[in-house]
Amino acid sequence: MSSLDGEAAERKGPPSGSAGPVPKSVAARTLRILDTFDPDHCGLSLSDISRRSGLPVATCHRLVGELVEWGGLRRADGRYRIGHKLWSLGLLSESHHGLAELAAPYMHDVLFLTKHVVNLFVLDGAQALLLERISGTRPGRALHRVGDRLALHASAGGKTFLAYGPPELAKAALSNPQRLTPNTVVDPTRLRRDLEQVRRKGYAVTLEEAVRSAHGIAVPVTAADGSVLAALGVVTVGTRPRPAAVVPVLQIAARSIAREAGRLAVRSGPGA
């Protein structure tokens, strides 16, 4: 189909059973394409997008291509999925900013039970942003402050995002990982194996990879739709934390944070 054919089809209106009249502006058409994705339709072919949006294939092909180039969509095995750019933008929502506040009580529980500094990370572009930190008088000095950003490949929270995030995120992080300490893993093949292990075990571990003498464990805070809202972890200096003792505590807290975040999202939704 030529571009002229596509424009003619748009003037004729959408096919029967589609999402309504074809919007005139490029922005509205782009949003119509994004609206075709939902929890039950995470991976769509170009023809699926055309059918669900009511837009001609030629129009979808052009706009989808631009969305892929921008990072809003990604293409794999002939199907399109939501890309890392939209994922990152979603973290700027009001519900996300409330994440630190609602997570704090559960982070205090982790501190009480483990006696380790507790960190809550969110993804910020190609780095892990320390959104909240809970520490007492016993865990030792804090290595990072709220607002600090850590390399994804060298931090437990960062490896959690790489393991459960979109493939493009891991591909970019593993393309040229920087050595921060003698223990930083910079071999892409080994890093991929590490990420596979994170997915298999459900938690990430780092041993002096970001800072000398510092060790970390982190688990994902997973939303109902399977997306990772944050990474919850502990950090120790000198002594290595024991996963068998720490991970179950982190996972219970992470599930509680995810549940509260879901309730906040409902309250902040349309009609709230």
Side-chain angles (χ1 to χ4, degrees):
M1 178 185 292
S2 68
S3 60
L4 291 178
D5 291 336
E7 292 174 1
E10 291 178 24
R11 286 194 297 269
K12 293 178 181 178
S16 177
S18 67
V22 173
K24 294 182 179 180
S25 72
V26 174
R29 294 174 187 175
T30 302
L31 293 174
R32 174 74 69 83
I33 287 175
L34 293 176
D35 272 339
T36 63
F37 295 88
D38 58 37
D40 295 322
H41 301 87
C42 297
L44 299 172
S45 67
L46 188 64
S47 60
D48 291 334
I49 295 173
S50 175
R51 175 177 52 80
R52 288 175 56 80
S53 68
L55 298 174
V57 173
T59 300
C60 290
H61 183 270
R62 181 179 71 254
L63 295 179
V64 164
E66 293 178 2
L67 284 167
V68 169
E69 184 177 357
W70 176 67
L73 295 178
R74 61 182 178 88
R75 188 174 188 271
D77 301 325
R79 304 185 79 80
Y80 296 91
R81 299 179 183 275
I82 295 298
H84 66 88
K85 196 65 172 286
L86 289 178
W87 193 37
S88 297
L89 288 174
L91 297 177
L92 301 177
S93 67
E94 182 179 351
S95 61
H96 179 71
H97 284 294
L99 186 61
E101 182 177 355
L102 65 86
Y106 304 104
M107 295 175 68
H108 278 289
D109 290 343
V110 174
L111 173 64
F112 177 77
L113 293 172
T114 68
K115 304 301 187 291
H116 299 316
V117 173
V118 188
N119 292 328
L120 183 69
F121 291 98
V122 293
L123 185 66
D124 183 26
Q127 295 177 305
L129 171 67
L130 181 54
L131 185 69
E132 183 62 281
R133 178 177 63 84
I134 302 293
S135 63
T137 58
R138 297 178 58 185
R141 66 185 178 90
L143 299 173
H144 300 286
R145 297 176 299 178
V146 171
D148 284 351
R149 290 168 171 79
L150 280 68
L152 296 180
H153 71 284
S155 59
K159 287 188 178 183
T160 300
F161 292 124
L162 292 179
Y164 294 99
E168 288 79 5
L169 185 67
K171 182 178 180 180
L174 273 55
S175 63
N176 186 31
Q178 302 299 306
R179 187 178 297 281
L180 305 178
T181 75
N183 281 15
T184 306
V185 180
V186 294
D187 176 50
T189 300
R190 181 180 167 187
L191 281 168
R192 292 189 188 94
R193 289 200 300 266
D194 287 351
L195 298 183
E196 290 174 1
Q197 191 172 50
V198 173
R199 288 187 287 267
R200 180 170 60 83
K201 292 185 175 182
Y203 64 90
V205 175
T206 53
L207 303 174
E208 299 185 90
E209 296 177 37
V211 179
R212 286 178 180 269
S213 78
H215 314 288
I217 297 180
V219 303
V221 178
T222 308
D225 63 0
S227 62
V228 176
L229 299 173
L232 179 68
V234 300
V235 62
T236 62
V237 178
T239 304
R240 297 183 181 183
R242 295 187 300 115
V246 173
V247 171
V249 177
L250 286 174
Q251 290 176 330
I252 291 172
R255 286 194 291 269
S256 298
I257 294 170
R259 182 175 61 251
E260 293 299 322
R263 291 172 179 169
L264 177 64
V266 170
R267 292 196 299 268
S268 303

